[in-house]
Amino acid sequence: MRKKVTKAIFPVAGLGTRFLPATKSVPKEIMTLVDRPLIQYAIDEARAAGIKEFIFVTSRGKGALEDYFDHAPTLEQELRKKGKDELLEVLKDTNMDSGAIAYIRQHKALGLGHAVWCARRLVGNEPFAVILPDDVIAAEKPCLQQMVEAYNETGGNVVATMEVPPEKASSYGVLDVQEDMGHVVKVKGMVEKPPVGKAPSNLAVIGRYILNPSVLRSLNQMKSGAGGEIQLTDAIASEINGEHGVYGYRFRGQRFDCGSKSGFLQATVAFGLARDELRDDLLAYIRDVVHLDRAAE
Ligand code: UTP
């Protein structure tokens, strides 16, 4: 019997420099798409996949993130008094049971691999998920849930992957494919941020992973890789010839790179249009803007 995936690491210790000055005082993960912070989308996805323990790797200045998951008795009391049951319901999603959430500090931003390694004692000897909250994925079946199913079939390390245009590949970890089975690909190599024209495929790794605990042991021995950071990709690549192997999973859904301004804006529009109460107004506005733009040409 395969061990169930019940723990997820959320590495949120990065500096978020692309969103300065906002991220000087607001953690990137608290920035909102419509009215929900990025972290809420990540937590909802993890819950849907059966995750019970949520491990945040944080850093200085991320206090707002910790507060977000606390109960807010005064606010709740006030809403109850005013009969705002719908809002009380909305707040429920933000509450975490005591003991279900843990925070661990990454003292220096030494890279994603290092951030994951910081959580090793909380993970122990179990398979675990890693979710990067700045990759937001709109999907009918939540992406991590799809991946847990793929993990249950393969037993290997599973990384979410999507096709990207060749000129974009150098911004990602890229898969070297041994066997393409459709939604699942068996991986024979992984390269972090390959130089332009040198990518082994157009399959980029994005921010969802299900990993076996042996990855943490590889991270123990890691030296810094591309960009002087300790790369998670390198530790996963060292699993390729190990007991479990590595698989790419082509998820069904649309991924928004909310770590970039353009991706964040696109996600705002997409999630706004998906809301019944906002759709008509927003659509009319977008039509107007596009129309004006055309008129100016
Ligand atoms: P990014 O590469 O997006 O870096 O990290 P960043 O610091 O968040 O943002 P920019 O590039 O400066 O704008 C990808 C994910 O890895 C986490 C980040 O919090 C983010 O979720 N991370 C990165 C860490 O937790 N620790 C690190 O040392 C680096």
Side-chain angles (χ1 to χ4, degrees), residues 207-221:
R208 300 287 184 279
Y209 310 79
I210 295 179
L211 303 174
N212 283 289
S214 44
V215 171
L216 298 171
R217 291 193 282 280
S218 305
L219 281 169
N220 264 333
Q221 289 145 30

Side-chain angles (χ1 to χ4, degrees), residues 11-19 28-29 57 62 106 108-112 115 132-134 229 259:
V12 292
L15 297 171
T17 52
R18 282 171 287 173
F19 281 95
K28 179 167 67 174
E29 302 73 26
V57 182
K62 299 279 178 168
Q106 184 189 27
K108 226 176 179 187
L110 292 176
L112 176 59
L132 305 191
D134 41 12
E229 294 190 336

Side-chain angles (χ1 to χ4, degrees), residues 278-296:
L278 298 175
R279 188 181 161 77
D280 290 349
D281 268 5
L282 187 54
L283 203 54
Y285 173 72
I286 292 168
R287 284 205 179 109
D288 267 3
V289 174
V290 173
H291 183 73
L292 284 177
D293 213 32
R294 290 225 182 100

Side-chain angles (χ1 to χ4, degrees), residues 7 10 13-14 25-26 38 40-41 55 65 104 136 160 162 167 178 208 211 213 215-216 239 269:
K7 295 182 177 180
F10 300 82
S25 67
V26 181
L38 295 185
Q40 185 70 55
Y41 292 91
I55 304 164
L65 199 66
I104 192 132
V136 176
M162 61 183 264
E167 69 277 10
Q178 182 181 326
R208 300 287 184 279
L211 303 174
V215 171
L216 298 171
E239 293 285 297
V269 172

